[in-house]
Amino acid sequence: MAIDRILGIETSCDETAAAVVERGRRVLSNVVASQIELHQKFGGVVPEVASRRHVELILPVIDEALERAGMTPADVDGVAVTYGPGLVGSLLVGLSAAKALSLAMDKPFVGINHIEGHIYANFLSHPDLEPPLVCLTVAGGHTVLLYVPEYGAYEVLGSTRDDAAGEAFDKVARVLGLGYPGGPEIDRIARAFWDREQSPANPQGDGSRGAVEIVLPRAMLDEGYEFSFSGLKTAALNHINQVRQRGLTLDVAEFSAAFQEAIVDVLVVKTMRAAADKAVTNVIMAGGVASNSRLRERMAAAGAERGLNVFWPAPILCTDNAAMIAAAGYYRLQAGERSPLDLNARPGLALR
Ligand code: KG4
Ligand code: ZN
């Protein structure tokens, strides 16, 4: 039987998601029920609350994904589900649903690494994109630089030693009182700063310098592929506290721009280093932080200077979704891979 249409299921963190994707490239439906509002009052994801919500949402979300694709469970050729990394209680909800469907409908089933899913979001947004490539995956829980020589093969070049890039965005945003998740807010406010700097009404403003008053660290910029954002986070929090203790007013727009620039500098330099060392022409970005407008702008400019093609997924495919899981699942199921029905959730699953 041909394997064409895959049902993807994703519940690794705070989005309950299901999608149907055809031949790994065409999205027939993509349903994401976000729990962001539920967790906002806590300033972050509460694992126990997330699991309970997944239980309530998973079946309606799967039904809706099938309905929007104009299909019944019998029309699906396989089921792909995230089994790690993520919150164990959350992962188990999606995994159990996927196993039940696979067993009931007698369809093949495969477990997918969430980070691999993020990478495949690029193949959905860019139908002609092919490996080899270098991928920067930057999300709330992960920051990892990868070399992808072919479909399904990964060489981890470097990852974060402490905080993920998105985590740093969220923690600093929280102290600035910008709410959760804070990444998109910092992006928006920093953009207002650049617009202000470069506006004709501010002839002294030099957007290329920008935010020079605030000096923040760029860890391990000059060597290797490892990242570290905890020093930056601490320096940022110290700066905010010092300004407040002195009774001064923090220019939140300028500070957001300076903080974002420190993260973007490191991400761009290391990604370009990897592209040169691996001699690839395709560079892709994945994960929630890949929708950061400054990161896109700077990565695209750095790529253009070096004759590289730089890609990122459409915004809806950057943050957690199940279409990316279905896309990754298609290539694995197509290659004959199957997961056993006793596959367990793996909160710390690494990409291999
Ligand atoms: O991929 P994702 O939905 O979840 C994980 O797998 O972690 O990423 C969520 C993260 C959050 O930390 C959020 O603040 C960040 O992505 N994010 C952004 C932007 N949009 C989302 N960070 C910076 N700028 C953005 N525009
Ligand atoms: Zn994610």
Side-chain angles (χ1 to χ4, degrees), residues 176-341:
L176 290 172
L178 300 178
Y180 169 84
E185 268 305 283
I186 292 194
D187 187 359
R188 193 180 62 76
I189 292 171
R191 178 124 317 268
F193 171 78
W194 294 118
D195 291 347
R196 188 176 89 193
E197 275 285 287
Q198 289 165 342
S199 81
N202 181 18
Q204 266 86 47
D206 176 359
S208 64
R209 280 186 309 120
V212 283
E213 303 301 325
I214 303 169
V215 181
L216 293 169
R218 281 133 171 92
M220 300 185 288
L221 186 66
D222 297 329
E223 60 188 59
Y225 301 122
E226 299 269 283
F227 301 91
S228 166
F229 294 110
S230 77
L232 169 63
K233 180 190 67 190
T234 308
L237 298 184
N238 284 344
H239 181 90
I240 298 169
N241 288 335
Q242 278 166 15
V243 170
R244 285 180 183 162
Q245 272 162 14
R246 288 191 203 131
L248 304 170
T249 320
L250 184 75
D251 181 338
V252 177
E254 181 187 22
F255 184 79
S256 296
F259 171 73
Q260 177 174 272
E261 213 62 8
I263 292 189
V264 168
D265 275 350
V266 176
L267 296 177
V268 170
V269 164
K270 295 200 180 228
T271 305
M272 289 298 131
R273 180 176 297 143
D277 289 355
K278 293 296 177 187
V280 296
T281 50
N282 290 333
V283 170
I284 68 173
M285 298 200 286
V289 182
S291 43
N292 181 272
S293 62
R294 185 69 177 163
L295 177 61
R296 290 178 170 190
E297 184 180 293
R298 296 267 319 274
M299 196 71 84
E305 258 173 42
R306 295 163 177 80
L308 305 174
N309 309 311
V310 178
F311 301 92
W312 51 75
I316 179 71
L317 296 172
C318 270
T319 44
D320 290 349
N321 66 86
M324 67 187 197
I325 303 302
Y330 169 78
Y331 287 92
R332 292 201 173 268
L333 289 167
Q334 191 73 15
E337 195 176 318
R338 303 287 183 269
S339 293
L341 281 172

Side-chain angles (χ1 to χ4, degrees), residues 103-123:
L103 195 61
M105 306 310 303
D106 195 22
K107 305 286 178 182
F109 144 81
V110 68
I112 296 295
N113 181 307
H114 179 79
I115 300 176
E116 180 176 43
H118 273 302
I119 297 167
Y120 276 77
N122 279 280
F123 297 122

